[in-house]
Amino acid sequence: MLEWKHSLYAFSSSTNSPADKSKNRGGRGSKKQVFESYMTSEEVSHGLKRGELIQGQLRINPKKYHEAFIPSPDDTRDIFLDGIVARNRALNGDIVVVQVLPREQWKVVRSDTDCEGASESDTQRENTVQKAQMKTARTPRPDVIMEDQCSDQDELIRKVQNTTLTDTGTQFVTCAKDILKNTQALDFKVITPLTLSFVCQVVYIVEKKHSRAATGFLKFLPDKPFAMFSPVDHRVPRINVQLADCPEDFCSRPGDYTNTLFICRITYWAADSNFAEGQLAKTLGQAGEIEPETEGILIEYDVDFSEFSDEVLGCLPKNLPWTIPPEEMRQRRDLRKECIFTIDPATARDLDDALSCKQLPDGNFEVGVHIADVSYFVEEGNALDAIASQRATSVYMVQKVIPMLPRLLCEELCSLNPLTDRLTFSVIWKITPEGKILSEWFGRSVIRSSVKLSYDHAQSMIEAPEKMFSAAELPPVDPEHPIDEIHQAVLNLHSIAKNLRSQRFSGGALRLDQLKLSFTLDKETMMPQGCYVYQYRDSNKLVEEFMLLANIATAHHIHRRFPELALLRRHPPPKAKMVDELQELCDQLGIDIDLSSAGALNKSLNTTLGDDEYSPARKEVLTHMCSRPMQMALYFCSGVLKQEQFFKHYALNVPLYTHFTSPIRRYADIIVHRLLASSLNCGPHLGLSTQQVQKQASHCNDKKTLSKRVQELSSELFFGVFVKDCGPLDSEAMVMGVLDQSFDVLVLKYGVQKRIYCKSITGLASFHHHKVGKKSELTLVWIPEDPEKPPVEQVISIFTLVEVQLKADSAPMKYSAVLKRVGYMDPKVNM
């Protein structure tokens, strides 16, 4: 059987071709060239136009840093680049151009299953580069590597060689399908899977999106004029740092810096060197301490956490406390007498959305979503606008927030604090109890929030509809609106939200919830005292439902008014090939799941996973599996993406969507507010072109992706500290995926995911990997505790329940999941 590696297009790193030699201009000097010289921008432009080159964003596998991917031209699956040399000095996130080399260099190779970890040693990394160099030194030829010889090997090679290439966008799709079809009839006695491998390499870096900064450690090299910097992130190369750039006493006392964390920036990476060159940017402090590690994460992911400049702060109101000018009041709808309130996390200080709900005499409701009018304070084109557009988003970490806007704006002028007049943009609907919208109004307004409710407050109101809450149970409340009025408004909103939610999901929406780890921190030290899996409850759903309704309504409004300029948010459908493979795997596992649409998948996730105590865990594992084919949601300008069928938001199953409800923390929302104000003739004319909106949309996409990763790393950092201080921690875990020498588990008590390597399991006599179709299993053979008894076998497959212990590693902030012996718990059925 011939199958795709990772179900992807696979390309090796060989680079010896006439096309490559033609661009080796500039001379190699006396050193042996490791990487090919880049094409010129003119060559790249012509190659892209002729369909000979492919452009895309590079993603490097964090667990196998020699594997990288870019999307295929039709965006249905990924193109696989095999080896460091094939990446040609590009780093994770860079926009690159790749070249598919002539067909003589295509080959069929044995597929290596992903079985290596994220923390390979420097020696292993160097060996990987050296192997890649050796591969390029040999003249590549089409080959079939098999455990047993196959009499039809030449026929397979001939089919590969004879495939004609036409258009790059379809050539590997067409030929691969043909080869697969033609080889299925061959009786190969192949023990390991085969991979059709085109030869591909990066020939140009369009945009260096990676910051070129990394956290890591310095190593002294005797008799060398430089030190070796080893990044913590193995996707970044090791870096030579001149000794003059190192601390003054580094050469005389290198041992003092063994555990010191540095930031280093790559300044140059020559084509004839395995290693980059760089400069130390900063000494962060001791590895394993939260603040140095946090600062390293922020710098590495290019998060601007500097203080706002005097020029930026000069754009804010000077006379404080600030009050709304009378002329501004006259231009807005005055809602200060209405019962309006916020519902946020208890610790939130930037309150950018508020809700209202008033029952009308006819039995219907007037429901309002009121959003902080940030665009009033952030004028287009000034210094404040420039820094906000550059930061693009606030970054939320466990112990701090890196704000997009100065705190005076975030927490005072714009924040919808209780019992204070605030400028807002409102969407107000007349809506039936069943959730049918009868009318809609947009406009600038002024509100006075009656109370700042937390999610816990709102949840207690929902759970106790008949209770009379006392003043002591809630934060300060505006005497104009008694507690029971607020309570009733929350109950009415909850009732309408349930109907809206039901309609959304019956109409085909999808929600893939993933477990989120939260921490309780010591108020003085900000160290983790405890952690728990965050519970998403009815109060969260209530707020979410009306924010979605407001975003959808705004998207339709601005697109009608500005069909070429609207900033919208689309969610492409999942990658078809990966969906097909997931369907095949689920069928083999006996899981009745329908992946044909978002709605069908959502229904399946809520009906096929049993009703015992482990059903939530199975759902979480299956949700993770279903998340892998999903693509990221993206901001875009409607004038750039002409065909409206591509505007759709797959998960929400709506034709138009945008972000309007969080302008304090998202710059995209500020642009949407400006569009909305312009459309209602209550704001200045928007001085942006389609290309400018699209450029900002792309920048917001990049910053949102980085922000999400920083948030994840912050959570991992704090959990590592928690395991070190409070561990070892015992928990049940459920297997999420099985490889040939390792398996991934979901640790149920804490909601974290960890990989367990068979070779590191204490007490294991042996292990065996078995794969049938897409279903992969490991059989672990345990050494018996009683020598008189036979070995104990344990089968590991998806949904297997195991017992693990989380223990701190020797490396700072790192921890491992240790599998306990099978005898520690009673066997449980998988599914």
Side-chain angles (χ1 to χ4, degrees):
M1 176 184 178
L2 187 70
E3 66 179 33
W4 297 101
K5 183 173 184 180
H6 299 295
S7 306
L8 310 168
Y9 300 117
F11 300 127
S12 88
S13 59
S14 180
T15 57
N16 294 335
S17 75
D20 293 319
K21 291 175 183 176
S22 70
K23 59 181 175 21
N24 277 338
R25 292 173 293 275
R28 295 173 181 264
S30 59
K31 286 189 176 181
K32 184 178 179 181
Q33 188 116 340
V34 178
F35 303 101
E36 290 295 329
S37 301
Y38 295 129
M39 286 184 172
T40 66
S41 57
E42 292 79 10
E43 289 173 324
V44 168
S45 179
H46 291 312
L48 289 170
K49 288 177 181 177
R50 290 195 297 263
E52 296 168 356
L53 303 175
I54 304 166
Q55 181 172 313
Q57 187 164 28
L58 186 72
R59 304 191 325 273
I60 303 174
N61 187 343
K63 295 184 178 179
K64 289 187 74 176
Y65 64 83
H66 50 275
E67 291 187 347
F69 314 87
I70 67 166
S72 63
D74 60 2
D75 208 28
T76 58
R77 63 191 86 187
D78 287 328
I79 296 169
F80 174 57
L81 286 84
D82 185 16
I84 295 171
V85 172
R87 295 206 295 268
N88 201 359
R89 295 163 284 167
L91 298 185
N92 189 60
D94 288 353
I95 306 298
V96 299
V97 173
V98 300
Q99 179 183 38
V100 182
L101 300 182
R103 69 174 183 268
E104 303 87 58
Q105 296 184 37
W106 297 6
K107 52 186 176 178
V108 182
V109 298
R110 183 170 54 198
S111 176
D112 295 324
T113 310
D114 176 8
C115 59
E116 297 181 38
S119 57
E120 297 185 55
S121 68
D122 286 339
T123 302
Q124 287 174 300
R125 297 175 71 188
E126 187 168 0
N127 289 341
T128 302
V129 176
Q130 289 172 348
K131 288 176 183 177
Q133 287 178 259
M134 291 172 62
K135 189 188 290 187
T136 64
R138 296 190 298 266
T139 301
R141 62 180 179 84
D143 195 12
V144 181
I145 304 173
M146 292 178 284
E147 299 281 344
D148 292 339
Q149 287 298 315
C150 169
S151 60
D152 290 312
Q153 176 176 334
D154 292 338
E155 182 177 347
L156 177 58
I157 296 172
R158 188 173 65 255
K159 290 178 184 294
V160 174
Q161 289 176 321
N162 291 339
T163 304
T164 301
L165 297 183
T166 52
D167 176 65
T168 304
T170 57
Q171 61 192 8
F172 33 79
V173 180
T174 305
C175 72
K177 288 180 178 178
D178 183 57
I179 291 170
L180 286 170
K181 179 180 178 182
N182 293 333
T183 54
Q184 282 174 350
L186 301 180
D187 185 22
F188 285 164
K189 296 180 180 178
V190 180
I191 294 177
T192 54
L194 297 181
T195 301
L196 180 64
S197 181
F198 304 92
V199 181
C200 174
Q201 66 178 353
V202 171
V203 295
Y204 191 75
I205 301 177
V206 178
E207 185 178 357
K208 294 180 177 179
K209 295 253 184 194
H210 191 281
S211 67
R212 266 54 186 175
T215 59
F217 302 91
L218 271 182
K219 181 180 180 182
F220 180 68
L221 302 176
D223 304 322
K224 297 285 186 182
F226 54 82
M228 178 62 71
F229 179 84
S230 296
V232 174
D233 184 347
H234 293 289
R235 295 174 296 179
V236 181
R238 286 185 291 167
I239 306 168
N240 292 335
V241 177
Q242 294 299 313
L243 290 176
D245 195 40
C246 298
E248 288 184 10
D249 61 345
F250 175 72
C251 294
S252 59
R253 304 177 63 88
D256 292 354
Y257 295 91
T258 302
N259 293 315
T260 302
L261 202 61
F262 293 91
I263 281 283
C264 185
R265 291 190 184 276
I266 293 174
T267 55
Y268 182 65
W269 192 355
D272 59 3
S273 177
N274 294 331
F275 310 121
E277 297 173 22
Q279 291 182 332
L280 294 183
K282 190 172 185 180
T283 304
L284 294 171
Q286 286 297 302
E289 295 180 1
I290 283 179
E291 284 311 310
E293 297 274 359
T294 296
E295 187 174 347
I297 292 169
L298 292 172
I299 295 173
E300 192 167 340
Y301 284 86
D302 203 20
V303 176
D304 182 359
F305 59 98
S306 63
E307 296 295 326
F308 290 96
S309 69
D310 291 341
E311 184 184 9
V312 169
L313 297 177
C315 299
L316 302 177
K318 305 295 188 297
N319 298 322
L320 301 174
W322 180 81
T323 55
I324 301 172
E327 61 271 18
E328 188 63 32
M329 289 289 296
R330 289 192 292 269
Q331 297 175 32
R332 293 173 178 260
R333 183 168 173 176
D334 191 346
L335 301 173
R336 289 176 295 173
K337 297 292 186 183
E338 301 294 328
C339 179
I340 297 174
F341 47 87
T342 59
I343 304 176
D344 287 280
T347 56
R349 293 187 293 181
D350 49 351
L351 315 179
D352 50 14
D353 59 84
L355 293 165
S356 61
C357 184
K358 178 171 64 178
Q359 188 158 21
L360 301 173
D362 61 2
N364 295 315
F365 293 91
E366 184 180 88
V367 174
V369 169
H370 314 277
I371 306 301
D373 190 357
V374 179
S375 62
Y376 173 85
F377 296 96
V378 183
E379 295 180 14
E380 186 179 349
N382 68 10
L384 177 58
D385 185 44
I387 191 66
S389 67
Q390 180 58 37
R391 293 192 176 196
T393 181
S394 294
V395 180
Y396 290 82
M397 308 183 84
V398 171
Q399 82 281 30
K400 66 173 73 176
V401 178
I402 310 300
M404 180 182 76
L405 295 166
R407 294 195 181 276
L408 176 60
L409 269 185
C410 293
E411 298 173 13
E412 293 295 331
L413 299 175
C414 291
S415 184
L416 306 183
N417 298 329
L419 312 178
T420 310
D421 293 353
R422 285 290 179 257
L423 300 178
T424 48
F425 236 125
S426 296
V427 189
I428 299 175
W429 300 277
K430 183 177 180 181
I431 191 167
T432 68
E434 296 75 30
K436 181 181 179 182
I437 295 173
L438 303 176
S439 66
E440 179 178 86
W441 178 87
F442 286 94
R444 279 183 146 152
S445 54
V446 182
I447 70 164
R448 180 183 174 88
S449 173
S450 302
V451 64
K452 175 189 174 182
L453 297 178
S454 69
Y455 283 116
D456 288 337
H457 294 135
Q459 188 65 31
S460 63
M461 289 178 172
I462 291 169
E463 292 176 355
E466 304 299 327
K467 180 179 176 179
M468 297 294 292
F469 285 84
S470 66
E473 294 176 275
L474 296 173
V477 177
D478 187 342
E480 293 290 321
H481 301 286
I483 293 173
D484 60 340
E485 181 184 0
I486 294 167
H487 187 184
Q488 188 59 51
V490 170
L491 292 175
N492 290 337
L493 286 170
H494 170 59
S495 176
I496 298 168
K498 284 197 302 182
N499 289 327
L500 289 170
R501 188 178 180 85
S502 176
Q503 290 169 26
R504 275 202 310 113
F505 288 116
S506 63
L510 165 69
R511 185 180 179 91
L512 292 176
D513 282 319
Q514 305 246 0
L515 298 181
K516 178 185 175 184
L517 190 63
S518 294
F519 297 87
T520 53
L521 304 179
D522 184 281
K523 291 184 179 179
E524 293 183 1
T525 65
M526 299 305 286
M527 295 291 283
Q529 291 180 315
C531 63
Y532 56 95
V533 175
Y534 184 80
Q535 296 297 312
Y536 186 76
R537 299 174 296 174
D538 285 337
S539 56
N540 302 83
K541 295 175 184 177
L542 181 161
V543 175
E544 179 192 46
E545 213 55 51
F546 289 105
M547 297 305 112
L548 289 174
L549 194 65
N551 286 334
I552 293 168
T554 304
H556 283 275
H557 182 93
I558 63 173
H559 184 250
R560 278 195 303 269
R561 179 64 179 83
F562 300 110
E564 297 293 313
L565 207 60
L567 179 66
L568 302 175
R569 187 165 176 81
R570 67 188 180 95
H571 184 207
K575 299 193 175 184
K577 180 64 177 176
M578 295 180 74
V579 169
D580 292 342
E581 291 173 345
L582 177 60
Q583 184 72 67
E584 185 180 341
L585 173 60
C586 289
D587 291 344
Q588 282 192 267
L589 292 170
I591 302 171
D592 183 16
I593 190 166
D594 186 349
L595 295 162
S596 61
S597 67
L601 173 56
N602 193 79
K603 184 177 180 181
S604 297
L605 286 172
N606 290 295
T607 57
T608 62
L609 295 160
D611 57 0
D612 61 284
E613 62 178 308
Y614 295 104
S615 296
R618 291 193 197 96
K619 181 178 179 180
E620 181 63 29
V621 169
L622 188 56
T623 296
H624 174 78
M625 293 163 60
C626 293
S627 297
R628 295 190 67 187
M630 297 296 165
Q631 301 194 66
M632 297 286 290
L634 300 166
Y635 297 113
F636 71 101
C637 179
S638 56
V640 172
L641 199 63
K642 300 291 186 181
Q643 296 171 294
E644 288 192 24
Q645 66 263 35
F646 297 126
F647 291 14
K648 184 177 179 181
H649 196 292
Y650 171 81
L652 294 174
N653 194 33
V654 293
L656 295 174
Y657 188 67
T658 194
H659 274 165
F660 157 75
T661 54
S662 294
I664 289 178
R665 62 184 179 90
R666 293 187 305 227
Y667 189 75
D669 301 53
I670 293 179
I671 295 178
V672 169
H673 276 229
R674 289 171 179 165
L675 287 164
L676 191 56
S678 183
S679 73
L680 297 168
N681 297 315
C682 60
H685 175 72
L686 195 64
L688 288 175
S689 66
T690 297
Q691 289 70 29
Q692 287 174 315
V693 173
Q694 180 59 37
K695 184 178 180 180
Q696 186 64 53
S698 297
H699 181 68
C700 288
N701 290 331
D702 292 340
K703 287 297 185 180
K704 185 174 179 65
T705 300
L706 292 176
S707 171
K708 183 174 183 290
R709 183 59 185 146
V710 167
Q711 186 173 340
E712 292 167 350
L713 289 171
S714 178
S715 182
E716 291 174 14
L717 177 65
F718 271 77
F719 190 68
V721 172
F722 180 73
V723 173
K724 178 184 177 182
D725 292 347
C726 304
L729 308 173
D730 294 330
S731 175
E732 288 181 312
M734 187 169 281
V735 176
M736 305 179 71
V738 179
L739 305 173
D740 66 345
Q741 298 183 49
S742 61
F743 56 97
D744 295 326
V745 297
L746 171 69
V747 183
L748 302 185
K749 188 174 181 180
Y750 302 103
V752 298
Q753 301 168 18
K754 289 300 287 184
R755 178 164 291 183
I756 297 175
Y757 299 92
C758 296
K759 290 180 179 178
S760 66
I761 299 175
T762 304
L764 213 59
S766 63
F767 62 90
H768 311 287
H769 178 251
H770 178 64
K771 188 172 184 179
V772 177
K774 298 295 177 186
K775 185 178 180 181
S776 192
E777 288 186 349
L778 280 166
T779 300
L780 309 183
V781 182
W782 293 89
I783 299 170
E785 294 179 308
D786 184 347
E788 301 295 323
K789 292 185 178 180
V792 179
E793 289 192 353
Q794 182 181 16
V795 177
I796 300 293
S797 61
I798 293 177
F799 298 118
T800 296
L801 203 61
V802 297
E803 189 81 8
V804 299
Q805 186 175 79
L806 303 181
K807 298 176 67 174
D809 288 349
S810 56
M813 304 296 199
K814 303 297 182 183
Y815 67 96
S816 300
V818 179
L819 182 68
K820 290 188 175 182
R821 292 182 65 93
V822 70
Y824 270 79
M825 58 182 296
D826 295 328
K828 302 218 174 42
V829 294
N830 294 346
M831 179 70 183

